[in-house]
């Protein structure tokens, strides 16, 4: 089998700025590691502020022409990107697994999901509409004109190195905006490969710029402080989101903030337990639990607690752990040592407070950042893992006896991204839907992400939506002309 790195030639492991692939101004580079082995897999350019501003120069220069490019042409370029990603899915998936650690099957799923944003927004690009209406007093007309907001800065996380960028790039380009993406330092390769694919697809220079750096704070601050930047879209932790919102305030930037979550998954006694088990496995273990919408807390109604727990524990124990590129692996490496240590501490804290470990619970020796699938029961309400994002393959199970009780517990969080409920009672499901404080709810399903749905959170999980028709509105300013016509 060939080396997954072969797909990204050394000249493309550099900054993508305007029409060039170039070294950082200071010629610095940084190493990207395979989290399953700790081995360095590539060196990429390490940008500083000068490079960031050069990318903004390129995005600003390209803005007028891109905004004036016919929507059909922009749509066709997005379709070409979708096709290229689909044709090269295996290469992209292997690159994702190598730099991020998820099993190949998960990476393939991410490529299919990420590519769909380009198809969806290729379809939206030609459906941006204004309005023309008569003012209520009949004396004039109002012409509403949506316009691209302008050059956008994107900051993306490591957990979905392709899809989190695709969710921003596709609607931005569809709306006529130019972009600068700063991918996570741990997973820059997939975004560089996407930029290369988009270059080959014919996206004009300056529309997609990519700046890889270990100095996120300095580079992003400089971009947000420059008046040519008109929009920030960030996906990452609530903690960093708050910092960036403060910085964005100085230039009164449009912002889309996709932040952290703490999803509760609720299994009611009347649920179809086969469906609930499948849903819980997906909601917990998709992406190794390193997902903002991962089930962080599993609440099971007392009459089915024992049966659900036993069957769920059996399925978790059967998962195999290993290098994501190896056949038959269900659970790959976590992103880094800090992630493993954090999970280990959260498990120890829960056990100290009285939780019992049914499956897993001990980090293995040896290289790579692995943690086994773990199930905990009798987890008390004050356990830290019920408040913090676990972001790994650990499932705390808590029992409940009434809907009021479980809704109060589920809502007792600063986050409000996703939730899940399993019940065969439609009215009960609808009551949960109305009372749970989340931007998204899975009803009898654990997979809720879809490019045609408006992904996003409430409370401190964020501002704005990605995907669906709402996704393109994030990149449009609605302006109007009042036209005298007595
Ligand atoms: P993170 O630490 O907040 O980092 C996200 C991005 O922000 C990275 O590119 C990072 O760069 C950059 N960054 C960090 N500090 C910065 C600063 N001071 N100024 C500018 N940029 C800065 O989050 P993460 O650990 O990568 O990702 C996990 C988090 O993302 C979780 O909380 C998860 O819930 C959230 N997430 C949310 C969604 C959603 O749609 N709501 C989706 C996926 C993930 P470096 O890589 O250089 O640190």
């Amino acid at each position: 089998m060939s080396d997954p790195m072969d797909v990204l030639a050394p000249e493309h492991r550099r900054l993508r700025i305007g029409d060039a692939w170039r070294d950082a101004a200071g010629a610095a580079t940084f190493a990207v590691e395979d989290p399953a082995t700790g081995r360095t897999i590539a060196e990429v350019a390490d940008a500083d502020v000068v490079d960031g501003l050069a990318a903004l120069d390129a995005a600003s220069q390209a803005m007028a022409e891109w905004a004036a490019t016919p929507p059909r042409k922009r749509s066709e370029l997005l379709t070409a990107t979708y096709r290229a990603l689909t044709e090269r899915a295996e290469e992209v998936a292997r690159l994702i697994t190598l730099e991020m650690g998820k099993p190949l099957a998960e990476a393939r799923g991410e490529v299919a999901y990420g590519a769909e944003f380009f198809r969806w927004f290729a379809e939206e690009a030609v459906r941006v509409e204004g309005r023309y209406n008569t003012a209520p007093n009949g004396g004039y007309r109002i012409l509403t004109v949506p316009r691209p907001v302008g050059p956008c800065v994107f900051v993306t996380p490591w957990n979905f190195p392709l899809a989190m960028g695709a969710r921003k790039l596709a609607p931005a380009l569809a709306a006529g905006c130019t972009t600068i993406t700063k991918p996570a330092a741990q997973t820059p390769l997939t975004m560089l490969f996407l930029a290369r694919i988009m270059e080959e697809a014919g996206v004009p220079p300056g529309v997609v710029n990519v700046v890889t750096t270990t100095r996120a704070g300095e580079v992003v601050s400089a971009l947000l402080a420059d008046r040519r930047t008109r929009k920030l879209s960030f996906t990452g932790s609530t903690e960093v989101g708050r910092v960036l919102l403060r910085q964005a305030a100085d230039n009164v930037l449009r912002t889309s903030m996709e932040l952290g979550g703490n999803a509760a998954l609720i299994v009611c006694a009347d649920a179809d337990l086969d469906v609930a088990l499948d849903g819980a496995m997906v909601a917990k273990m998709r992406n190794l639990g390193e997902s903002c919408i991962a089930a962080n807390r599993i609440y099971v109604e007392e009459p089915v607690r024992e049966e659900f727990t036993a069957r769920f524990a059996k399925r978790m124990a059967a998962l195999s752990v290993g290098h994501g590129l190896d056949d038959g692996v269900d659970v790959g490496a976590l992103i880094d040592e800090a992630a493993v240590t954090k999970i280990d501490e959260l498990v120890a804290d829960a056990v100290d407070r009285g939780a019992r470990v049914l499956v897993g619970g001990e980090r293995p020796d040896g290289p790579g950042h692995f943690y086994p699938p773990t199930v905990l029961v009798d987890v008390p309400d004050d356990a830290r893992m019920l408040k913090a994002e676990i972001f790994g393959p650990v499932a705390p199970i808590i029992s409940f006896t009434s809907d009021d009780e479980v809704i109060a517990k589920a809502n007792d969080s600063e986050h409000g991204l996703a939730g899940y409920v399993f019940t065969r009672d439609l009215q009960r499901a609808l009551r949960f839907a109305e009372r749970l404080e989340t931007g998204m709810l899975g009803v009898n399903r654990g997979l809720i992400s879809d490019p045609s749905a408006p992904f996003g959170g409430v409370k401190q999980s964020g501002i704005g939506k990605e995907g669906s028709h709402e996704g393109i509105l994030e990149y449009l300013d609605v302006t109007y002309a009042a036209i005298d016509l007595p």
Side-chain angles (χ1 to χ4, degrees), residues 333-345:
L334 296 172
I335 190 68
D336 57 19
E337 193 50 31
V340 180
T341 303
K342 175 184 149 193
I343 291 168
D344 210 30
E345 286 171 3

Side-chain angles (χ1 to χ4, degrees), residues 118-440:
F118 290 100
R119 179 152 72 162
W120 176 266
F121 284 107
E123 292 156 353
E124 287 291 302
V126 290
R127 313 243 184 278
V128 174
E129 293 168 348
R131 292 194 308 271
Y132 179 78
N133 62 287
T134 303
N137 70 6
Y140 62 100
R141 306 291 179 266
I142 297 169
L143 176 65
T144 307
V145 185
R147 290 190 203 159
V149 296
C152 303
V153 170
F154 298 154
V155 181
T156 56
W158 50 262
N159 62 341
F160 291 94
L162 178 77
M164 297 302 99
R167 287 204 313 203
K168 304 181 189 308
L169 283 164
L173 267 57
C177 297
T178 59
T179 65
I180 302 148
T181 302
K182 192 221 78 68
Q186 284 160 315
T187 58
L189 303 171
T190 305
M191 181 51 64
L192 291 171
F193 191 44
L194 176 60
R196 174 70 182 143
I197 281 179
M198 295 183 84
E199 179 190 9
E200 287 175 341
V203 174
V207 174
V208 174
N209 303 281
V210 179
V211 174
T212 53
T213 181
T214 55
R215 283 165 280 199
E218 288 166 53
V219 173
V220 174
S221 290
L223 289 170
L224 301 186
D226 191 303
R227 285 172 54 191
R228 293 172 297 172
T229 298
R230 288 311 318 143
K231 160 112 195 173
L232 163 69
S233 180
F234 170 74
T235 299
S237 60
T238 297
E239 193 186 356
V240 174
R242 285 190 196 103
V243 171
L244 296 185
L245 272 174
R246 281 188 207 108
Q247 293 178 11
D250 283 341
N251 263 337
V252 193
L253 295 182
R254 288 278 298 269
T255 57
S256 300
M257 308 301 286
E258 298 288 345
L259 309 178
N262 182 5
L265 184 143
I266 299 167
V267 180
C268 298
D270 62 43
D272 179 328
L273 276 200
D274 293 332
V275 170
L277 280 159
D278 286 347
M281 288 303 293
V282 172
K284 178 68 255 180
M285 293 306 293
R286 177 169 165 259
N287 219 47
L288 293 82
E290 292 177 314
S291 160
C292 53
I293 54 171
N296 208 56
R297 309 169 275 166
I298 300 182
Y299 292 102
V300 186
E301 201 169 6
E302 188 51 33
V304 291
R305 179 184 52 81
E306 219 174 292
E307 183 184 350
F308 176 89
T309 303
R311 292 175 65 188
F312 182 73
K314 195 169 167 197
R315 287 186 57 174
M316 289 286 276
L319 298 175
S320 67
V321 180
H323 195 297
L325 289 174
D326 291 345
D327 285 342
V329 166
D330 302 307
V331 182
L334 296 172
I335 190 68
D336 57 19
E337 193 50 31
V340 180
T341 303
K342 175 184 149 193
I343 291 168
D344 210 30
E345 286 171 3
L346 289 175
V347 170
D349 167 78
V351 170
D352 280 351
R353 294 172 198 265
R356 281 186 301 125
V357 177
L358 283 194
V359 176
E362 276 188 36
R363 60 192 298 179
D365 295 330
H369 312 302
F370 291 97
Y371 199 89
T374 295
V375 179
L376 298 166
V377 289
D378 302 336
V379 182
D381 289 337
D382 62 353
R384 277 173 41 215
M385 66 169 56
L386 302 187
K387 303 279 179 215
E389 276 189 295
I390 300 169
F391 237 62
V394 175
I397 297 183
I398 310 107
S399 78
F400 73 94
T401 53
S402 79
D403 291 5
D404 284 347
E405 176 203 355
V406 76
I407 287 170
K409 285 183 178 174
N411 287 342
D412 182 20
S413 169
E414 67 183 22
H415 293 118
L417 194 58
Y420 305 86
V421 62
F422 292 84
T423 172
R424 276 190 272 219
D425 179 339
L426 177 63
Q427 290 192 343
R428 199 173 178 189
L430 289 173
R431 278 189 213 106
F432 275 112
E434 289 186 4
R435 294 178 64 195
L436 287 172
E437 296 167 353
T438 62
M440 298 167 279

